[in-house]
Amino acid sequence: MTIRALHVASELYPLLKTGGLADVTGALPPALIELGADVRVLLPGFPSVLAGLADLKPVARLERTFGAPEATLEQGTLAANGVIVYVLRADAFYERPGNPYLDAQHVPYGDNAQRFALLGWCAAQLAQHLDPAWAPQIVHAHDWHAGLAPAYLRAAERERGRPLAKSVFTVHNLAYQGVFPAQQFGMLGLPSDFFGIDGIEFYGQMSFLKAGLYFSDRLTTVSPTYAREIQTLAQGGGLHGLLRQRMHDLSGILNGVDYTVWRPSTDTLLPARYTDTRLAGKRACKTSLQARFGLPQKSDVLLFGVVSRLTEQKGLDLLLAALPEIIRRGGQLVVFGTGDPALETGLQRVAQTHPESVAVELGFDETLAHAIIAGSDVVAVPSRFEPCGLTQLYALAYGTLPLVHRVGGLADTVVDASLENLADEAATGFVFDRFEPEALAAAIRRAFALYARRSEWKATQQRAMREDFGWSTSAGRYLALYRELV
Ligand code: ADP
Ligand code: GLC
């Protein structure tokens, strides 16, 4: 039996991306389709989404708009793989260029509750044949932006007195909870008893994330370790109680890599291409990266790269605390990212102090992200917490050894270059346990030590490049979950 599933999210690569969520929503649906599922996606009609889809055509008019003058549903296809995307068009809400959640001052839009309630409501409407030609059996909602979809679905089922569709909610990051004042609950049009501890209420306010966690039939998150971590007081973001209650409905399914986008032998965004057995192109990528960032073009210095959202989560403050370890040993550091203004200026200041060894550039650019993953020797991901993390997986594929904190998906995907792991031919990177400068500095020292033993470095690179983190295994797990439900 073919299963029909609707993925509901706010971003999707290559249409719109602020982080790894877009990589997942861009790659998981086609991977599920490959396995025989009938999968479509629902996205808000942000300008780049409308501009990036082929054959857009109207599907239906929405009768509820949450205050927008009008809202319609359109449908288009993704040029790269033919996946069908529904676009929720409400220009008053979504026709805003730039970041989908924040205004130019980095402040969340004042009408975010309405903007994303409409998204969730529209998903529930699709389960009620808003499109006469197609209705999902599974509504698969991602992160708080889509957190109300399961709630509206539950409300509609109660009203109609029969089941409509099953829901799956995937947590990509428990730190973003979609919290809004309780006064806004009335405008959501949900049954009044949904506002309560058994529902959307969260410490006197409401949380769209909690709604997703409470009302969905099944919960997943993006790595097995993170699935365990979020059930603890320390890392549950105030939701560990609910997550523990639902532990039998919760599973950790590791993200994958879309190798049609991230493979060094075919990557047209790189200055040169390479494979695990022909690494000359990687050296060319390194020289080109050093030139691009104005660093001395030496092939034998150890070059650390960072491509990251600049937020507290990513632990770059710890990297700066351990920076002397890199500089003293003659290493170089390239940082590329955007985010928190205080972190941005802090990083720029460090680059000004050490122009010979540290270069920082602010911005968001896919080509430069590929150039750094390919041209660096080590990609550093010292995150405080990391639900899955994709940059370390991309780094592995590019023979760039990841240096990571042992948390979340980082713990599940990188094997430390300890003596015993090297002897077992298992090492793929550098892993530190305690979130402290000394622990990170020790991992940095391990990287320098391995780099000095060139043949072992190369063997580790090749092992990293030969690992397979393709989507098919994980897509199979999601499909098994859907099958259990329908
Ligand atoms: P998160 O989703 O928490 O940001 P992930 O590691 O899962 O972390 O995914 C990050 C994704 O965003 C990767 O595809 C990475 O290449 C990309 N990315 C992060 N910062 C930038 C940037 N400044 N420019 C381009 N891509 C970026
Ligand atoms: C989130 C997490 C990241 C994860 C990504 C995709 O943004 O921070 O760890 O890889 O979602 O699931």
Side-chain angles (χ1 to χ4, degrees):
M1 180 193 54
T2 307
I3 292 187
R4 294 183 309 278
L6 177 73
H7 282 246
V8 190
S10 60
E11 33 184 291
L12 179 148
Y13 177 84
L15 302 176
L16 173 68
K17 164 166 164 179
T18 70
L21 170 64
D23 291 357
V24 174
T25 56
L28 176 57
L32 286 162
I33 291 170
E34 188 90 357
L35 297 180
D38 178 5
V39 180
R40 298 186 178 190
V41 183
L42 170 66
L43 297 172
F46 298 117
S48 62
V49 170
L50 293 167
L53 286 169
D55 317 318
L56 267 182
K57 57 174 192 229
V59 174
R61 223 190 155 81
L62 272 72
E63 64 206 51
R64 279 203 64 187
T65 63
F66 296 86
E70 83 168 340
T72 55
L73 186 71
E74 301 185 6
Q75 167 187 327
T77 51
L78 281 169
N81 48 31
V83 171
I84 295 177
V85 178
Y86 290 110
V87 187
L88 169 53
R89 190 138 187 193
D91 290 349
F93 281 168
Y94 309 127
E95 204 183 35
R96 301 172 193 175
N99 189 292
Y101 322 112
L102 312 173
D103 66 17
Q105 276 67 53
H106 284 264
V107 178
Y109 287 115
D111 55 358
N112 272 354
Q114 291 94 314
R115 297 169 81 222
F116 292 103
L118 179 61
L119 179 67
W121 184 78
C122 182
Q125 290 296 303
L126 273 160
Q128 298 165 77
H129 300 274
L130 177 65
D131 177 356
W134 191 90
Q137 298 159 290
I138 300 279
V139 171
H140 188 154
H142 297 270
D143 271 356
W144 74 263
H145 323 110
L148 288 197
Y152 283 116
L153 205 51
R154 199 58 72 80
E157 288 178 341
R158 186 193 279 183
E159 203 179 299
R160 289 168 183 247
R162 65 183 170 87
L164 293 165
K166 298 291 182 185
S167 53
V168 176
F169 184 65
T170 296
V171 181
H172 295 265
N173 198 329
L174 202 72
Y176 298 92
Q177 306 189 328
V179 173
F180 302 100
Q183 299 86 282
Q184 297 190 4
F185 178 72
M187 77 179 185
L188 299 181
L190 287 166
S192 58
D193 63 296
F194 278 27
F195 188 86
I197 183 154
D198 292 326
I200 191 174
E201 188 270 341
F202 186 58
Y203 294 101
Q205 298 187 282
M206 57 177 182
S207 158
F208 283 20
L209 181 81
K210 188 184 167 209
L213 295 176
Y214 184 82
F215 290 106
S216 295
D217 293 304
R218 286 286 199 289
L219 307 175
T220 75
T221 188
V222 289
S223 70
T225 294
Y226 193 61
R228 287 191 298 275
E229 289 170 347
I230 57 178
Q231 296 178 50
T232 66
L233 175 64
Q235 291 170 85
L239 290 159
H240 67 284
L242 174 56
L243 287 160
R244 268 165 98 148
Q245 232 173 356
R246 300 211 58 190
M247 63 190 279
H248 299 295
D249 297 324
L250 167 67
S251 46
I253 303 178
L254 203 63
N255 287 335
V257 173
D258 184 344
Y259 290 114
T260 63
V261 179
W262 294 95
R263 189 190 289 283
S265 59
T266 53
D267 190 337
T268 51
L269 299 178
L270 301 183
R273 273 148 295 284
Y274 57 94
T275 64
D276 58 338
T277 51
R278 298 194 19 222
L279 285 160
K282 183 163 174 60
R283 287 190 285 280
C285 289
K286 180 172 177 178
T287 317
S288 150
L289 183 63
Q290 289 167 322
R292 168 72 176 72
F293 275 84
L295 292 171
Q297 289 169 52
K298 296 186 198 146
S299 62
D300 57 343
V301 303
L302 188 58
L303 173 55
F304 292 78
V306 171
V307 178
S308 182
R309 289 187 296 115
L310 302 179
T311 62
E312 153 126 25
Q313 171 189 348
K314 299 298 178 177
L316 297 174
D317 48 333
L318 190 73
L319 187 60
L320 292 186
L323 186 64
E325 202 62 53
I326 295 180
I327 292 177
R328 184 179 331 138
R329 289 166 196 273
Q332 295 176 336
L333 171 65
V334 162
V335 180
F336 179 54
T338 178
D340 178 0
L343 258 169
E344 290 187 344
T345 39
L347 282 162
Q348 279 178 317
R349 210 168 303 132
V350 172
Q352 279 155 13
T353 322
H354 306 280
E356 283 288 294
S357 22
V358 181
V360 171
E361 191 164 317
L362 304 177
F364 197 94
D365 180 73
E366 194 70 19
T367 305
L368 198 48
H370 283 241
I372 294 171
I373 301 278
S376 306
D377 297 302
V378 174
V379 159
V381 195
S383 308
R384 284 186 164 71
F385 65 93
E386 195 61 75
C388 179
L390 291 167
T391 46
Q392 86 281 9
L393 295 178
Y394 301 154
L396 291 169
Y398 282 67
T400 306
L401 304 187
L403 189 160
V404 305
H405 183 206
R406 199 188 303 280
V407 284
L410 302 172
D412 293 338
T413 53
V414 183
V415 180
D416 182 58
S418 64
L419 272 180
E420 60 275 28
N421 287 335
L422 284 168
D424 290 350
E425 299 185 358
T428 55
F430 311 96
V431 186
F432 63 97
D433 283 282
R434 281 166 298 112
F435 191 80
E436 291 166 6
E438 299 71 37
L440 172 54
I444 290 172
R445 290 212 300 277
R446 277 203 297 293
F448 277 99
L450 191 66
Y451 194 59
R453 291 148 66 168
R454 291 301 162 101
S455 63
E456 273 191 273
W457 180 275
K458 191 172 170 195
T460 310
Q461 273 184 310
Q462 290 178 326
R463 190 156 48 238
M465 295 178 81
R466 287 169 194 161
E467 288 215 75
D468 181 6
F469 285 101
W471 265 106
S472 65
T473 313
S474 299
R477 300 226 161 91
Y478 283 109
L479 194 57
L481 198 66
Y482 297 171
R483 289 222 171 90
E484 272 175 42
L485 285 170
V486 298

